[in-house]
Amino acid sequence: MTSRAGAVAAILAGAVAFAGGLAHAQQLPRSGSIEFHTGWKFTGEVHKPAEDHMMGHGTVGGITFNDKGSGPLHLGPANCFDSFFLIQGRGSNKGYCAFGDPDGDRVFTSFTGELVPEGGGNGTNEITGGTGKYKGITGSGPWKCKPMGSNGEIQCAQRLDYKLP
């Protein structure tokens, strides 16, 4: 084997060992909690069918940050869509989300919540499925959001209490 071929083989072996270590490091316990926060940008449509009544729908896109600074859902994409109805600033919303890891694995949720006149709200995410390391995941957890700017910026704190098969 030439020295160049040996160097290539050594680099490939190191890469395989490193990737194997990453795969093992990213395995989740069979049950637990993932605490994370998300920075969102909301885009939507609002209709006013009557005085003091609003309804609409929208989408949010953003990035998740695991509260531990690493681990599940850290620095991954987050996308949701929702519908909402308000009377005098109070109401409810419901929708669906996909939270992910940078490696492409996803957790899917449906959510419901209560909206308040000050902006934002709180509710529950119900896990509906997942891909990759999250395949077969079940569970739920609370969310709480608040507006952070005048252009649709929102910050949410969330927790998913989960079980894997």
Side-chain angles (χ1 to χ4, degrees):
M1 183 182 295
T2 68
S3 62
R4 184 174 185 180
V8 169
I11 290 170
L12 288 174
V16 168
F18 179 73
L22 280 180
H24 179 72
Q26 291 189 6
Q27 288 181 349
L28 293 174
R30 304 283 261 174
S31 64
S33 294
I34 305 169
E35 295 187 51
F36 60 104
H37 55 282
T38 309
W40 302 105
K41 168 68 171 144
F42 175 81
T43 305
E45 281 187 50
V46 177
H47 301 278
K48 295 184 178 186
E51 188 173 333
D52 293 331
H53 288 66
M54 289 192 327
M55 61 188 207
H57 62 90
T59 60
V60 291
I63 302 293
T64 60
F65 301 89
N66 186 303
D67 289 350
K68 293 179 179 176
S70 64
L73 307 181
H74 188 59
L75 300 178
N79 300 94
C80 303
F81 69 92
D82 72 324
S83 60
F84 55 89
F85 185 76
L86 300 150
I87 300 173
Q88 296 180 338
R90 291 198 173 279
S92 61
N93 68 345
K94 55 184 162 183
Y96 300 91
C97 295
F99 298 103
D101 285 331
D103 67 7
D105 294 347
R106 301 281 184 266
V107 174
F108 303 102
T109 68
S110 66
F111 69 88
T112 57
E114 192 176 313
L115 303 174
V116 296
E118 303 78 39
N122 60 77
T124 303
N125 275 307
E126 294 288 336
I127 299 172
T128 60
T131 64
K133 67 183 146 298
Y134 302 113
K135 187 174 178 150
I137 194 169
T138 60
S140 64
W143 61 265
K144 184 172 186 167
C145 298
K146 59 185 175 181
M148 298 303 293
S150 59
N151 294 309
E153 301 93 342
I154 302 169
Q155 187 273 327
C156 296
Q158 297 149 126
R159 186 183 76 235
L160 294 175
D161 301 318
Y162 72 89
K163 288 186 182 178
L164 288 166

